[in-house]
Amino acid sequence: MEIYPLSKENLADYKRINYPNDLIFGKEFADMKKNMYEQMLDNPSIIPYIAYVDSEPAGSLISVIGEETVEIDDLLTVTHLRKQGVATALQEAVMTLAQKNLKQVILVADGDDTQKDMYLKQNYTCIGFRLGAQKVFAK
């Protein structure tokens, strides 16, 4: 398994594996996210990562660098490559980054996330709860 920060060379792979998941929230949202991924290349406080298994794009996440924390967001593993340690390897890349910079790691997970037990097994501690909403305007 190989883990890389997002770059111009792997941006197309990153977009391709994230697009189906982004489509859950609608085509307009998914298309907007494709543009956002490009903008992240120029933002030093956002470091997205992509994982490959046998040269196949397998997963991704976005790390957001704060003053005292590194936040893990949008953790994704391609469905047919799950249970191979992809998410763990991506998180370890962020942990290494955080340790080098003496920052605490925060993982953002959906409230109904089926993986919350996995996070507890990895020694994450629930520190709070936040509810989000998306407004959809009729056309």
Side-chain angles (χ1 to χ4, degrees), residues 63-100:
S63 63
V64 181
I65 315 301
E67 286 188 32
E68 298 177 7
T69 61
V70 179
E71 177 183 314
I72 295 175
D73 203 359
D74 289 350
L75 180 58
L76 169 81
T77 302
V78 174
T79 305
H80 73 277
L81 294 170
R82 290 186 177 152
K83 307 251 186 246
Q84 295 187 37
V86 173
T88 299
L90 284 162
Q91 290 173 79
E92 287 173 355
V94 175
M95 300 291 177
T96 300
L97 173 71
Q99 285 178 330
K100 286 181 184 174

mmCIF file of all heavy atoms in Angstrom, residues 63-100:
data_model
loop_
_atom_site.group_PDB
_atom_site.id
_atom_site.type_symbol
_atom_site.label_atom_id
_atom_site.label_comp_id
_atom_site.label_asym_id
_atom_site.label_seq_id
_atom_site.Cartn_x
_atom_site.Cartn_y
_atom_site.Cartn_z
ATOM 1 N N SER A 63 -6.928 16.195 5.441
ATOM 2 C CA SER A 63 -6.456 16.637 6.751
ATOM 3 C C SER A 63 -6.401 18.159 6.740
ATOM 4 O O SER A 63 -5.939 18.774 5.781
ATOM 5 C CB SER A 63 -5.088 16.035 7.087
ATOM 6 O OG SER A 63 -4.099 16.462 6.186
ATOM 7 N N VAL A 64 -6.923 18.734 7.814
ATOM 8 C CA VAL A 64 -6.983 20.189 7.950
ATOM 9 C C VAL A 64 -6.086 20.568 9.123
ATOM 10 O O VAL A 64 -6.311 20.138 10.257
ATOM 11 C CB VAL A 64 -8.428 20.666 8.199
ATOM 12 C CG1 VAL A 64 -8.475 22.186 8.310
ATOM 13 C CG2 VAL A 64 -9.356 20.164 7.092
ATOM 14 N N ILE A 65 -5.069 21.376 8.835
ATOM 15 C CA ILE A 65 -4.071 21.746 9.829
ATOM 16 C C ILE A 65 -4.521 23.002 10.569
ATOM 17 O O ILE A 65 -4.694 24.065 9.971
ATOM 18 C CB ILE A 65 -2.697 22.019 9.167
ATOM 19 C CG1 ILE A 65 -2.339 20.951 8.133
ATOM 20 C CG2 ILE A 65 -1.621 22.209 10.225
ATOM 21 C CD1 ILE A 65 -2.271 19.548 8.645
ATOM 22 N N GLY A 66 -4.703 22.865 11.872
ATOM 23 C CA GLY A 66 -5.046 23.998 12.721
ATOM 24 C C GLY A 66 -3.851 24.386 13.578
ATOM 25 O O GLY A 66 -2.771 23.805 13.456
ATOM 26 N N GLU A 67 -4.047 25.354 14.447
ATOM 27 C CA GLU A 67 -2.950 25.803 15.312
ATOM 28 C C GLU A 67 -2.482 24.703 16.252
ATOM 29 O O GLU A 67 -1.284 24.536 16.471
ATOM 30 C CB GLU A 67 -3.378 27.036 16.114
ATOM 31 C CG GLU A 67 -3.443 28.290 15.274
ATOM 32 C CD GLU A 67 -3.686 29.521 16.122
ATOM 33 O OE1 GLU A 67 -3.238 29.560 17.281
ATOM 34 O OE2 GLU A 67 -4.329 30.450 15.604
ATOM 35 N N GLU A 68 -3.432 23.952 16.810
ATOM 36 C CA GLU A 68 -3.085 22.911 17.778
ATOM 37 C C GLU A 68 -3.538 21.522 17.365
ATOM 38 O O GLU A 68 -3.251 20.549 18.048
ATOM 39 C CB GLU A 68 -3.705 23.250 19.143
ATOM 40 C CG GLU A 68 -3.186 24.550 19.714
ATOM 41 C CD GLU A 68 -3.855 24.924 21.026
ATOM 42 O OE1 GLU A 68 -4.628 24.109 21.567
ATOM 43 O OE2 GLU A 68 -3.591 26.037 21.509
ATOM 44 N N THR A 69 -4.263 21.432 16.242
ATOM 45 C CA THR A 69 -4.832 20.153 15.837
ATOM 46 C C THR A 69 -4.629 19.869 14.355
ATOM 47 O O THR A 69 -4.356 20.771 13.567
ATOM 48 C CB THR A 69 -6.346 20.123 16.114
ATOM 49 O OG1 THR A 69 -6.967 21.161 15.347
ATOM 50 C CG2 THR A 69 -6.668 20.301 17.586
ATOM 51 N N VAL A 70 -4.780 18.596 14.022
ATOM 52 C CA VAL A 70 -4.921 18.156 12.641
ATOM 53 C C VAL A 70 -6.240 17.392 12.591
ATOM 54 O O VAL A 70 -6.435 16.422 13.317
ATOM 55 C CB VAL A 70 -3.766 17.243 12.186
ATOM 56 C CG1 VAL A 70 -3.979 16.793 10.745
ATOM 57 C CG2 VAL A 70 -2.420 17.941 12.326
ATOM 58 N N GLU A 71 -7.149 17.863 11.765
ATOM 59 C CA GLU A 71 -8.478 17.264 11.661
ATOM 60 C C GLU A 71 -8.522 16.306 10.477
ATOM 61 O O GLU A 71 -8.083 16.654 9.382
ATOM 62 C CB GLU A 71 -9.519 18.363 11.478
ATOM 63 C CG GLU A 71 -10.924 17.871 11.278
ATOM 64 C CD GLU A 71 -11.886 19.019 11.031
ATOM 65 O OE1 GLU A 71 -11.833 20.018 11.759
ATOM 66 O OE2 GLU A 71 -12.692 18.904 10.089
ATOM 67 N N ILE A 72 -9.024 15.117 10.697
ATOM 68 C CA ILE A 72 -9.242 14.144 9.621
ATOM 69 C C ILE A 72 -10.698 14.251 9.203
ATOM 70 O O ILE A 72 -11.603 14.135 10.022
ATOM 71 C CB ILE A 72 -8.937 12.710 10.088
ATOM 72 C CG1 ILE A 72 -7.454 12.556 10.414
ATOM 73 C CG2 ILE A 72 -9.370 11.701 9.016
ATOM 74 C CD1 ILE A 72 -7.091 11.205 11.009
ATOM 75 N N ASP A 73 -10.912 14.458 7.910
ATOM 76 C CA ASP A 73 -12.268 14.595 7.395
ATOM 77 C C ASP A 73 -12.391 13.831 6.083
ATOM 78 O O ASP A 73 -11.397 13.585 5.398
ATOM 79 C CB ASP A 73 -12.588 16.080 7.176
ATOM 80 C CG ASP A 73 -14.074 16.375 7.196
ATOM 81 O OD1 ASP A 73 -14.886 15.449 7.365
ATOM 82 O OD2 ASP A 73 -14.432 17.558 7.041
ATOM 83 N N ASP A 74 -13.605 13.493 5.722
ATOM 84 C CA ASP A 74 -13.909 12.820 4.448
ATOM 85 C C ASP A 74 -13.087 11.552 4.225
ATOM 86 O O ASP A 74 -12.604 11.298 3.119
ATOM 87 C CB ASP A 74 -13.722 13.782 3.270
ATOM 88 C CG ASP A 74 -14.795 14.852 3.206
ATOM 89 O OD1 ASP A 74 -15.786 14.746 3.947
ATOM 90 O OD2 ASP A 74 -14.639 15.794 2.414
ATOM 91 N N LEU A 75 -12.926 10.744 5.259
ATOM 92 C CA LEU A 75 -12.205 9.472 5.140
ATOM 93 C C LEU A 75 -13.033 8.518 4.286
ATOM 94 O O LEU A 75 -14.209 8.293 4.557
ATOM 95 C CB LEU A 75 -11.957 8.884 6.525
ATOM 96 C CG LEU A 75 -11.225 7.559 6.618
ATOM 97 C CD1 LEU A 75 -9.850 7.627 5.973
ATOM 98 C CD2 LEU A 75 -11.098 7.134 8.077
ATOM 99 N N LEU A 76 -12.423 7.992 3.233
ATOM 100 C CA LEU A 76 -13.131 7.157 2.263
ATOM 101 C C LEU A 76 -12.269 5.970 1.861
ATOM 102 O O LEU A 76 -11.068 6.133 1.609
ATOM 103 C CB LEU A 76 -13.451 7.992 1.012
ATOM 104 C CG LEU A 76 -13.963 7.228 -0.205
ATOM 105 C CD1 LEU A 76 -15.447 6.946 -0.048
ATOM 106 C CD2 LEU A 76 -13.705 8.003 -1.472
ATOM 107 N N THR A 77 -12.874 4.798 1.804
ATOM 108 C CA THR A 77 -12.227 3.623 1.227
ATOM 109 C C THR A 77 -13.129 3.109 0.109
ATOM 110 O O THR A 77 -14.342 2.961 0.304
ATOM 111 C CB THR A 77 -12.016 2.502 2.265
ATOM 112 O OG1 THR A 77 -11.225 3.001 3.334
ATOM 113 C CG2 THR A 77 -11.312 1.310 1.649
ATOM 114 N N VAL A 78 -12.553 2.848 -1.054
ATOM 115 C CA VAL A 78 -13.297 2.294 -2.182
ATOM 116 C C VAL A 78 -13.919 0.971 -1.726
ATOM 117 O O VAL A 78 -13.245 0.137 -1.109
ATOM 118 C CB VAL A 78 -12.368 2.106 -3.396
ATOM 119 C CG1 VAL A 78 -13.085 1.390 -4.529
ATOM 120 C CG2 VAL A 78 -11.830 3.456 -3.855
ATOM 121 N N THR A 79 -15.181 0.777 -2.025
ATOM 122 C CA THR A 79 -15.956 -0.337 -1.477
ATOM 123 C C THR A 79 -15.269 -1.693 -1.641
ATOM 124 O O THR A 79 -15.141 -2.447 -0.671
ATOM 125 C CB THR A 79 -17.358 -0.382 -2.125
ATOM 126 O OG1 THR A 79 -17.989 0.879 -1.941
ATOM 127 C CG2 THR A 79 -18.213 -1.463 -1.494
ATOM 128 N N HIS A 80 -14.823 -2.038 -2.835
ATOM 129 C CA HIS A 80 -14.263 -3.381 -3.041
ATOM 130 C C HIS A 80 -12.858 -3.546 -2.453
ATOM 131 O O HIS A 80 -12.314 -4.648 -2.469
ATOM 132 C CB HIS A 80 -14.297 -3.772 -4.524
ATOM 133 C CG HIS A 80 -13.294 -3.052 -5.374
ATOM 134 N ND1 HIS A 80 -13.523 -1.794 -5.888
ATOM 135 C CD2 HIS A 80 -12.064 -3.418 -5.798
ATOM 136 C CE1 HIS A 80 -12.471 -1.422 -6.595
ATOM 137 N NE2 HIS A 80 -11.573 -2.378 -6.556
ATOM 138 N N LEU A 81 -12.293 -2.478 -1.897
ATOM 139 C CA LEU A 81 -10.960 -2.567 -1.287
ATOM 140 C C LEU A 81 -11.013 -2.391 0.234
ATOM 141 O O LEU A 81 -9.978 -2.226 0.877
ATOM 142 C CB LEU A 81 -10.028 -1.529 -1.920
ATOM 143 C CG LEU A 81 -9.729 -1.776 -3.398
ATOM 144 C CD1 LEU A 81 -9.015 -0.583 -4.014
ATOM 145 C CD2 LEU A 81 -8.928 -3.047 -3.587
ATOM 146 N N ARG A 82 -12.204 -2.469 0.800
ATOM 147 C CA ARG A 82 -12.339 -2.351 2.253
ATOM 148 C C ARG A 82 -11.786 -3.586 2.943
ATOM 149 O O ARG A 82 -11.609 -4.630 2.341
ATOM 150 C CB ARG A 82 -13.801 -2.124 2.632
ATOM 151 C CG ARG A 82 -14.264 -0.752 2.199
ATOM 152 C CD ARG A 82 -15.638 -0.416 2.677
ATOM 153 N NE ARG A 82 -15.949 0.953 2.255
ATOM 154 C CZ ARG A 82 -17.148 1.404 2.029
ATOM 155 N NH1 ARG A 82 -18.191 0.618 2.212
ATOM 156 N NH2 ARG A 82 -17.327 2.646 1.646
ATOM 157 N N LYS A 83 -11.504 -3.431 4.224
ATOM 158 C CA LYS A 83 -10.966 -4.502 5.082
ATOM 159 C C LYS A 83 -9.547 -4.901 4.674
ATOM 160 O O LYS A 83 -9.125 -6.030 4.897
ATOM 161 C CB LYS A 83 -11.883 -5.733 5.067
ATOM 162 C CG LYS A 83 -13.322 -5.431 5.395
ATOM 163 C CD LYS A 83 -13.702 -5.957 6.734
ATOM 164 C CE LYS A 83 -15.179 -5.770 6.987
ATOM 165 N NZ LYS A 83 -15.474 -4.858 8.033
ATOM 166 N N GLN A 84 -8.814 -3.968 4.063
ATOM 167 C CA GLN A 84 -7.417 -4.218 3.692
ATOM 168 C C GLN A 84 -6.477 -3.227 4.373
ATOM 169 O O GLN A 84 -5.312 -3.129 4.014
ATOM 170 C CB GLN A 84 -7.251 -4.146 2.171
ATOM 171 C CG GLN A 84 -8.011 -5.226 1.434
ATOM 172 C CD GLN A 84 -7.699 -5.232 -0.045
ATOM 173 O OE1 GLN A 84 -6.568 -4.999 -0.464
ATOM 174 N NE2 GLN A 84 -8.711 -5.499 -0.855
ATOM 175 N N GLY A 85 -6.988 -2.454 5.317
ATOM 176 C CA GLY A 85 -6.156 -1.517 6.061
ATOM 177 C C GLY A 85 -5.956 -0.169 5.398
ATOM 178 O O GLY A 85 -5.085 0.599 5.804
ATOM 179 N N VAL A 86 -6.767 0.140 4.396
ATOM 180 C CA VAL A 86 -6.621 1.406 3.675
ATOM 181 C C VAL A 86 -6.879 2.594 4.607
ATOM 182 O O VAL A 86 -6.058 3.511 4.699
ATOM 183 C CB VAL A 86 -7.557 1.462 2.440
ATOM 184 C CG1 VAL A 86 -7.521 2.838 1.789
ATOM 185 C CG2 VAL A 86 -7.183 0.372 1.442
ATOM 186 N N ALA A 87 -8.008 2.580 5.304
ATOM 187 C CA ALA A 87 -8.350 3.691 6.200
ATOM 188 C C ALA A 87 -7.322 3.831 7.311
ATOM 189 O O ALA A 87 -6.929 4.943 7.666
ATOM 190 C CB ALA A 87 -9.752 3.495 6.784
ATOM 191 N N THR A 88 -6.856 2.710 7.826
ATOM 192 C CA THR A 88 -5.841 2.749 8.884
ATOM 193 C C THR A 88 -4.553 3.380 8.373
ATOM 194 O O THR A 88 -3.953 4.226 9.043
ATOM 195 C CB THR A 88 -5.570 1.324 9.414
ATOM 196 O OG1 THR A 88 -6.789 0.811 9.960
ATOM 197 C CG2 THR A 88 -4.490 1.325 10.475
ATOM 198 N N ALA A 89 -4.116 2.995 7.171
ATOM 199 C CA ALA A 89 -2.884 3.545 6.605
ATOM 200 C C ALA A 89 -3.015 5.050 6.354
ATOM 201 O O ALA A 89 -2.074 5.813 6.603
ATOM 202 C CB ALA A 89 -2.528 2.811 5.314
ATOM 203 N N LEU A 90 -4.175 5.486 5.880
ATOM 204 C CA LEU A 90 -4.396 6.917 5.668
ATOM 205 C C LEU A 90 -4.336 7.676 6.993
ATOM 206 O O LEU A 90 -3.704 8.729 7.091
ATOM 207 C CB LEU A 90 -5.753 7.149 4.991
ATOM 208 C CG LEU A 90 -5.807 6.831 3.498
ATOM 209 C CD1 LEU A 90 -7.255 6.665 3.039
ATOM 210 C CD2 LEU A 90 -5.112 7.918 2.691
ATOM 211 N N GLN A 91 -4.978 7.136 8.017
ATOM 212 C CA GLN A 91 -4.947 7.782 9.328
ATOM 213 C C GLN A 91 -3.529 7.821 9.889
ATOM 214 O O GLN A 91 -3.120 8.809 10.505
ATOM 215 C CB GLN A 91 -5.862 7.044 10.306
ATOM 216 C CG GLN A 91 -7.331 7.211 9.974
ATOM 217 C CD GLN A 91 -8.192 6.340 10.845
ATOM 218 O OE1 GLN A 91 -8.435 6.696 11.991
ATOM 219 N NE2 GLN A 91 -8.636 5.213 10.325
ATOM 220 N N GLU A 92 -2.757 6.765 9.665
ATOM 221 C CA GLU A 92 -1.375 6.736 10.152
ATOM 222 C C GLU A 92 -0.531 7.825 9.494
ATOM 223 O O GLU A 92 0.348 8.404 10.135
ATOM 224 C CB GLU A 92 -0.761 5.356 9.929
ATOM 225 C CG GLU A 92 -1.302 4.313 10.889
ATOM 226 C CD GLU A 92 -0.835 2.898 10.584
ATOM 227 O OE1 GLU A 92 -0.147 2.678 9.556
ATOM 228 O OE2 GLU A 92 -1.169 2.001 11.384
ATOM 229 N N ALA A 93 -0.795 8.121 8.226
ATOM 230 C CA ALA A 93 -0.075 9.204 7.551
ATOM 231 C C ALA A 93 -0.347 10.535 8.251
ATOM 232 O O ALA A 93 0.561 11.344 8.458
ATOM 233 C CB ALA A 93 -0.482 9.281 6.080
ATOM 234 N N VAL A 94 -1.600 10.748 8.650
ATOM 235 C CA VAL A 94 -1.958 11.980 9.358
ATOM 236 C C VAL A 94 -1.352 11.984 10.760
ATOM 237 O O VAL A 94 -0.873 13.014 11.243
ATOM 238 C CB VAL A 94 -3.488 12.165 9.407
ATOM 239 C CG1 VAL A 94 -3.866 13.373 10.249
ATOM 240 C CG2 VAL A 94 -4.040 12.304 7.998
ATOM 241 N N MET A 95 -1.348 10.828 11.410
ATOM 242 C CA MET A 95 -0.742 10.735 12.753
ATOM 243 C C MET A 95 0.735 11.114 12.703
ATOM 244 O O MET A 95 1.229 11.829 13.571
ATOM 245 C CB MET A 95 -0.877 9.320 13.322
ATOM 246 C CG MET A 95 -2.275 8.831 13.485
ATOM 247 S SD MET A 95 -3.144 9.705 14.778
ATOM 248 C CE MET A 95 -4.742 8.942 14.635
ATOM 249 N N THR A 96 1.432 10.646 11.684
ATOM 250 C CA THR A 96 2.848 10.983 11.518
ATOM 251 C C THR A 96 3.022 12.491 11.337
ATOM 252 O O THR A 96 3.883 13.106 11.963
ATOM 253 C CB THR A 96 3.440 10.220 10.313
ATOM 254 O OG1 THR A 96 3.309 8.816 10.560
ATOM 255 C CG2 THR A 96 4.893 10.573 10.091
ATOM 256 N N LEU A 97 2.184 13.081 10.502
ATOM 257 C CA LEU A 97 2.214 14.530 10.291
ATOM 258 C C LEU A 97 1.959 15.268 11.610
ATOM 259 O O LEU A 97 2.674 16.213 11.947
ATOM 260 C CB LEU A 97 1.151 14.915 9.257
ATOM 261 C CG LEU A 97 0.911 16.400 9.030
ATOM 262 C CD1 LEU A 97 2.083 17.029 8.295
ATOM 263 C CD2 LEU A 97 -0.381 16.618 8.264
ATOM 264 N N ALA A 98 0.971 14.810 12.359
ATOM 265 C CA ALA A 98 0.625 15.460 13.621
ATOM 266 C C ALA A 98 1.751 15.343 14.641
ATOM 267 O O ALA A 98 2.071 16.314 15.330
ATOM 268 C CB ALA A 98 -0.666 14.857 14.177
ATOM 269 N N GLN A 99 2.356 14.172 14.732
ATOM 270 C CA GLN A 99 3.446 13.982 15.695
ATOM 271 C C GLN A 99 4.623 14.886 15.374
ATOM 272 O O GLN A 99 5.229 15.461 16.278
ATOM 273 C CB GLN A 99 3.888 12.525 15.714
ATOM 274 C CG GLN A 99 2.920 11.623 16.447
ATOM 275 C CD GLN A 99 3.347 10.167 16.419
ATOM 276 O OE1 GLN A 99 3.998 9.710 15.483
ATOM 277 N NE2 GLN A 99 2.971 9.435 17.447
ATOM 278 N N LYS A 100 4.954 15.020 14.103
ATOM 279 C CA LYS A 100 6.079 15.881 13.708
ATOM 280 C C LYS A 100 5.832 17.334 14.104
ATOM 281 O O LYS A 100 6.764 18.074 14.371
ATOM 282 C CB LYS A 100 6.303 15.800 12.191
ATOM 283 C CG LYS A 100 6.937 14.522 11.735
ATOM 284 C CD LYS A 100 7.132 14.535 10.233
ATOM 285 C CE LYS A 100 7.674 13.211 9.753
ATOM 286 N NZ LYS A 100 7.749 13.141 8.282
#
